Amino acid sequence: MKKRVLLRVAYDGTNYHGWQVQPGAVTIEQVLNEKLTELLGEPIEVIGASRTDSGVHAMGNVAVFDTEHRMPADKICFALNQRLPEDIRIQSSMEVEPDWHPRKHHCIKTYEYKILNRKMEVPSLRLYTHFCHFDLDLDQMRQAAKLLTGEHDYKSFCNVRTQVLDTVRTVYSIDIEKDSNDVITIRVRGNGFLYNMVRIIVGTLIRVGRGFYEPVQVKEILEAKNRKAAGVTAPPHGLMLMEIRYN
């Protein structure tokens, strides 16, 4: 009897061309499909909740797949992890309703972007933080972040290649903090994000922190609905999908 299984997936995105299957490139989705097919002895194609970009990491992406195998759903994570490369690990697996779809249920997505803000780089952090040696004014960045929360048309904050027609999203919160190791964490929570949206928000907030934009200008950037109005797209390796929480 066929069942649908939900996976919570963690991965280091350094060696992958993002989540989605692409011709001639190694992706997270491709590896999961191959290893699940080997494990269960039937063709498997997973459906992911968030199609992270090349180089982006995750602690809690979500995917589902259908199988007729008799292995209990909650045991699949253990068996699959024995076959996966060490930079991909399934955190849990469970059976869900046959029609449950990870992109058709309301959820809260949490992303974290990390910036190493000091004069010298730290080699052990190079794959997981964006290095910025310029001084950043966190108070100014926080003021700007408040103006970016709420329900808005984020057309200025998505890649021009974005194909979706509806660019309205809700950002519930943007928190900015700096730890004792000079790592700034920008934590963004929302009901969904456009292509490159979090990275463009970060790139814009960095411009605010450096003094190129006044905080109030981010409101003008939102209203412009023009990608050219916002800051640069921050590099992918500082970004991690932390959690996708469903109702």
Side-chain angles (χ1 to χ4, degrees):
M1 184 176 177
K2 184 176 290 188
K3 61 177 177 282
R4 177 157 289 194
V5 179
L6 180 149
L7 306 175
R8 293 197 179 273
V9 192
Y11 47 87
D12 179 333
T14 303
N15 297 320
Y16 298 93
H17 290 266
W19 172 273
Q20 194 169 8
V21 169
Q22 302 174 43
V26 180
T27 69
I28 305 295
E29 186 178 42
Q30 172 201 336
V31 173
L32 290 176
N33 288 346
E34 290 176 355
K35 298 305 180 183
L36 280 166
T37 297
E38 290 177 9
L39 174 66
L40 302 175
E42 56 185 324
I44 300 292
E45 291 186 3
V46 301
I47 302 170
S50 187
R51 299 166 181 167
T52 52
D53 297 336
S54 178
V56 173
H57 316 292
M59 281 290 289
N61 206 345
V62 170
V64 297
F65 67 91
D66 296 324
T67 179
E68 295 183 354
H69 201 283
R70 295 176 61 185
M71 184 184 299
D74 62 342
K75 303 298 182 186
I76 288 176
C77 57
F78 300 103
L80 182 56
N81 281 338
Q82 294 179 21
R83 295 173 176 266
L84 288 170
E86 61 184 3
D87 51 7
I88 305 175
R89 282 293 178 269
I90 309 304
Q91 301 301 294
S92 64
S93 56
M94 61 181 287
E95 187 171 351
V96 292
E97 293 297 320
D99 61 348
W100 196 92
H101 194 291
R103 295 199 294 270
K104 294 180 180 178
H105 284 73
H106 181 269
C107 67
I108 298 175
K109 294 184 179 182
T110 302
Y111 281 90
E112 287 186 359
Y113 195 95
K114 295 191 178 294
I115 303 166
L116 181 62
N117 188 212
R118 64 201 304 270
K119 297 304 178 186
M120 295 296 174
E121 297 178 75
V122 178
S124 61
L125 299 178
R126 74 191 188 283
L127 300 179
Y128 312 104
T129 61
H130 168 46
F131 176 65
C132 179
H133 70 272
F134 299 103
D135 291 334
L136 295 176
D137 188 326
L138 298 191
D139 288 336
Q140 293 287 94
M141 293 170 69
R142 290 181 183 117
Q143 289 180 45
K146 287 181 181 178
L147 297 174
L148 290 174
T149 59
E151 183 180 278
H152 300 287
D153 186 335
Y154 288 93
K155 190 170 184 179
S156 293
F157 292 88
C158 66
N159 190 292
V160 291
R161 290 183 292 161
T162 301
Q163 297 177 350
V164 296
L165 298 177
D166 182 9
T167 50
V168 174
R169 298 290 185 274
T170 300
V171 174
Y172 300 119
S173 62
I174 303 177
D175 300 312
I176 303 172
E177 55 193 35
K178 187 174 184 178
D179 66 19
S180 58
N181 296 316
D182 299 317
V183 175
I184 297 170
T185 299
I186 300 176
R187 186 176 299 107
V188 186
R189 292 187 179 93
N191 67 351
F193 297 94
L194 301 163
Y195 184 36
N196 287 166
M197 179 173 158
V198 176
R199 289 166 57 195
I200 297 170
I201 286 175
V202 170
T204 303
L205 291 176
I206 289 174
R207 298 284 289 178
V208 171
R210 291 185 61 187
F212 292 110
Y213 300 156
E214 292 294 325
V216 71
Q217 285 182 260
V218 301
K219 187 176 181 181
E220 298 171 9
I221 293 170
L222 272 172
E223 292 170 351
K225 300 178 185 178
N226 184 341
R227 172 65 188 92
K228 294 179 180 179
V232 299
T233 306
H237 60 274
L239 184 62
M240 182 173 293
L241 172 57
M242 299 301 296
E243 180 185 44
I244 301 176
R245 181 179 297 177
Y246 292 91
N247 286 347

